[in-house]
Amino acid sequence: MVESLVREWRGVIAGPFRALWERGPLGVSLALFATVAVIGLHAYQQTETGAAVLRVVSEVRADQPLALSLLRTPVSLFVPAQDLAVWGGLPRLFLAFALAELAFGRIRTLVVAYAATLAGTLGARVMIALGPGLLGLPADAAHAVDTGASAAIVGLFAFAAVTLRAPLLFLAAVVPTVVGSVAEPNLAGREHLVAVAAAMLLALFLKTAPAASRCQWALPESAAVDGEVGHGCSRRAGPGGLGGHRGDPGR
């Protein structure tokens, strides 16, 4: 038990903080961008012109052609739902993106966030097609606007918890969302469940992938986090035999 807690502390707290100390504010540049994007788009959405523009470029509904939804999904991730208070969710958004960015790099963070969001969007279409029931949704859910970063946030927390073997993180950041989604099985709740499942499957796939495949995902993590995640790829030696960074993973 103690060993598990120490491992979780190193992976979730100590490792990311060490990476933040080494990289400075640029280490959480993606998290900062996501937070500023949500704030800016929320403010723009309050204007008449902004609401019209964002409706065209980010509004995703299940009654749209699939190609149109796929085209709008990347922007919709940063457009908060109009019926939710945006400010209360900003700390959670920043923490999810910052933890993933520091632990796994920008590229993998973006991949997981988009995969979770896309899985929720596509899963909603399947559930609406199934119709009302235990696994389905009523037909009128197809007309609901599906925007916001909530699926990406819970997906990133689930991915980090599985990859870093952090049950307390999963209990604190994922379980409340899952419980709320089960208690209120609406469109957003069902999408959250799909996003969690997709992120966990992605984490398990990457952990069990052959070493040669994992090398394609190798990113400049701190030594502590790298050891906890269990990457099988060695770093290139820098001057004096020390492991050197390979460059910004987001470039």
Side-chain angles (χ1 to χ4, degrees), residues 180-200:
S181 299
V182 172
E184 189 175 357
N186 54 18
L187 176 66
R190 293 289 179 83
E191 288 192 359
H192 292 161
L193 294 177
V194 174
V196 169
M200 293 177 67

Side-chain angles (χ1 to χ4, degrees), residues 11 15-16 18-20 22-23 99-106 108-109 159 163-164 206 214 217-233 235 243-247 249:
R18 184 179 296 110
L20 181 61
E22 294 172 354
R23 306 175 197 174
L99 173 61
E101 185 176 4
L102 290 169
F104 314 118
R106 295 175 197 160
R108 204 179 313 186
T109 299
F159 180 87
T163 305
L164 299 177
L206 293 179
R214 289 202 302 267
W217 288 79
L219 298 171
E221 297 140 337
S222 66
V225 176
D226 192 79
E228 291 300 324
V229 175
H231 292 299
C233 306
R235 297 174 180 270
H245 292 302
R246 296 180 179 175

Side-chain angles (χ1 to χ4, degrees), residues 59-237:
E59 189 173 275
V60 174
R61 302 189 312 272
D63 59 359
Q64 295 172 340
L66 178 58
L68 181 60
S69 293
L70 294 177
L71 187 64
R72 292 178 175 179
T73 297
V75 182
S76 73
L77 197 155
F78 300 106
V79 178
Q82 293 185 347
D83 59 339
L84 297 177
V86 63
W87 301 105
L90 286 177
R92 183 175 167 86
L93 179 145
F94 179 81
L95 286 175
F97 274 85
L99 173 61
E101 185 176 4
L102 290 169
F104 314 118
R106 295 175 197 160
I107 294 176
R108 204 179 313 186
T109 299
L110 283 172
V111 169
V112 173
Y114 183 71
T117 301
L118 187 60
T121 298
L122 297 179
R125 288 176 173 264
V126 174
M127 288 183 282
I128 291 171
L130 291 175
L134 181 62
L135 298 178
L137 287 168
D140 59 0
H143 309 305
V145 177
D146 178 21
T147 60
S150 57
I153 292 170
V154 71
L156 286 172
F157 277 130
F159 180 87
V162 173
T163 305
L164 299 177
R165 292 177 290 175
L168 291 181
L169 175 64
F170 191 89
L171 184 65
V174 181
V175 169
T177 300
V178 171
V179 172
S181 299
V182 172
E184 189 175 357
N186 54 18
L187 176 66
R190 293 289 179 83
E191 288 192 359
H192 292 161
L193 294 177
V194 174
V196 169
M200 293 177 67
L201 288 174
L202 184 58
L204 292 173
F205 170 77
L206 293 179
K207 285 172 70 71
T208 57
S213 299
R214 289 202 302 267
C215 287
Q216 300 175 7
W217 288 79
L219 298 171
E221 297 140 337
S222 66
V225 176
D226 192 79
E228 291 300 324
V229 175
H231 292 299
C233 306
S234 60
R235 297 174 180 270
R236 291 188 297 184

